[in-house]
Amino acid sequence: MKKPGSHKNLLNSVEKAKVISVKKKMKTEKCFQYLAETFKAMSDPTRAKIIYALCQEDELCVSDLSSIIETTNSAISHQLRNLRNMKLVKYNKVGKMAFYSLDDKHINNLFAEGLRHVEEK
Amino acid sequence: MKKPGSHKNLLNSVEKAKVISVKKKMKTEKCFQYLAETFKAMSDPTRAKIIYALCQEDELCVSDLSSIIETTNSAISHQLRNLRNMKLVKYNKVGKMAFYSLDDKHINNLFAEGLRHVEEK
DNA sequence: AAAACGATTGAACAATTGTTCATATAATAC
DNA sequence: GTATTATATGAACAATTGTTCAATCGTTTT
């Protein structure tokens, strides 16, 4: 008979002590989801380029971003919307132009750490 | 008439100086792809949990990982394969068990930075 | 007014993703 | 030998993704 409430109880563990210890240190489901989302924000080449460009210049408009990244305004605009939803960029509308900038200052460190990792290979 | 070889030339830029400056600093396509891949490795909750668990314990076998993360062996095994392909984890086969550990030591910093970011909210 | 411009959007599409289920492999136990 | 265990894998599936294309919305210019 199975113990109710946990389809995988500790009795089956190979190294019980380790399992219990790590389980105790585990973060919440929500935390891991948010963590995954944060990484996902930078997990597409186009978005990575946008973030990198905005690390070099405080503000850039959509068409200049597409000049830099060499893709269509539409593709950039769609990705900027994603980044906006993830609260990574904000924008400033001036006339018909939209100037985007990084919203989340922590993202700078995270991105730089990723870049360091890539370039150390 | 359009200038050949570049479907988006600099003459269309709004802030030419910025565009040229950022273009100069741009990394290669390959770099951005690798960067995106690195972030993608951690962009799924299950993979994030695996990496977190392996940050707490040097080595964990598949069934203990699924005990900790509370999902099926199969799901874990599939994700471990992904992480293996991305060179983030390695494994040590002992009898019928496979002990997984982090392969890329830089990933520790990157992951910790992400966690710090999440927890500072 | 019309035309041009920068940006946004929705629909469509192929491509990728993560899980489940069933099966397979390979090592150990009986 | 058979049975059991730990892990791996392939197929199937729904869900998500990123781009393109066309159309649209505001704003500015003429």
Side-chain angles (χ1 to χ4, degrees):
Chain A
M1 241 198 266
K2 257 196 183 169
K3 203 170 173 190
S6 65
H7 33 122
K8 190 106 197 181
N9 74 44
L10 291 170
L11 302 172
N12 303 331
S13 303
V14 176
E15 300 174 287
K16 249 181 267 193
K18 277 192 181 185
V19 172
I20 292 171
S21 154
V22 178
K23 268 205 164 205
K24 241 179 233 164
K25 293 189 208 146
M26 265 307 186
K27 306 288 179 184
T28 63
E29 180 63 32
K30 218 176 168 180
C31 174
F32 283 115
Q33 244 156 44
Y34 188 33
L35 191 54
E37 263 176 44
T38 304
F39 286 123
K40 181 170 271 178
M42 299 175 284
S43 74
D44 168 77
T46 303
R47 284 196 299 274
K49 289 173 195 170
I50 291 174
I51 294 169
Y52 178 78
L54 292 176
C55 283
Q56 312 307 311
E57 285 286 341
D58 276 5
E59 273 197 338
L60 285 167
C61 67
V62 178
S63 64
D64 281 356
L65 275 169
S66 44
S67 284
I68 291 166
I69 295 169
E70 290 177 12
T71 182
T72 62
N73 278 0
S74 183
I76 295 287
S77 191
H78 277 296
Q79 294 296 9
L80 282 170
R81 175 149 71 139
N82 285 338
L83 291 171
R84 235 161 48 216
N85 290 340
M86 304 188 229
K87 306 263 191 268
L88 292 200
V89 304
K90 62 175 189 285
Y91 73 115
N92 213 285
K93 204 124 197 192
V94 179
K96 56 187 167 182
M97 327 252 305
F99 291 95
Y100 280 82
S101 55
L102 292 179
D103 189 15
D104 188 328
K105 46 196 176 308
H106 301 296
I107 241 59
N108 243 308
N109 298 330
L110 192 49
F111 192 81
E113 186 73 36
L115 206 53
R116 206 173 306 132
H117 169 256
V118 166
E119 290 183 325
E120 264 176 24
K121 280 259 170 174
Chain B
M1 243 199 264
K2 256 197 184 170
K3 205 171 172 189
S6 65
H7 29 126
K8 190 105 197 181
N9 71 46
L10 291 169
L11 300 172
N12 304 331
S13 303
V14 176
E15 301 174 287
K16 249 181 265 193
K18 278 192 181 184
V19 172
I20 291 171
S21 154
V22 177
K23 268 207 163 201
K24 241 179 233 161
K25 293 187 208 149
M26 264 310 188
K27 307 288 179 184
T28 62
E29 180 63 31
K30 219 177 167 177
C31 174
F32 283 115
Q33 244 157 44
Y34 187 34
L35 190 55
E37 262 176 44
T38 304
F39 286 122
K40 182 171 271 179
M42 298 175 284
S43 74
D44 168 77
T46 303
R47 285 196 299 275
K49 289 173 195 170
I50 292 174
I51 294 169
Y52 178 79
L54 292 176
C55 283
Q56 313 305 312
E57 284 288 342
D58 276 5
E59 272 198 339
L60 285 165
C61 67
V62 179
S63 65
D64 280 356
L65 274 169
S66 43
S67 284
I68 292 166
I69 295 169
E70 291 177 12
T71 183
T72 63
N73 279 358
S74 183
I76 294 286
S77 190
H78 277 296
Q79 293 296 9
L80 281 170
R81 174 150 71 138
N82 285 337
L83 291 170
R84 233 161 50 217
N85 290 339
M86 303 189 231
K87 306 264 191 266
L88 292 200
V89 303
K90 62 178 189 284
Y91 73 114
N92 213 285
K93 203 122 197 193
V94 179
K96 56 186 168 183
M97 325 250 308
F99 291 94
Y100 279 81
S101 55
L102 292 180
D103 189 14
D104 186 329
K105 47 196 176 308
H106 301 296
I107 241 59
N108 242 307
N109 298 331
L110 192 49
F111 192 81
E113 186 72 37
L115 206 53
R116 206 173 307 132
H117 170 255
V118 166
E119 291 183 325
E120 266 178 21
K121 281 260 172 175

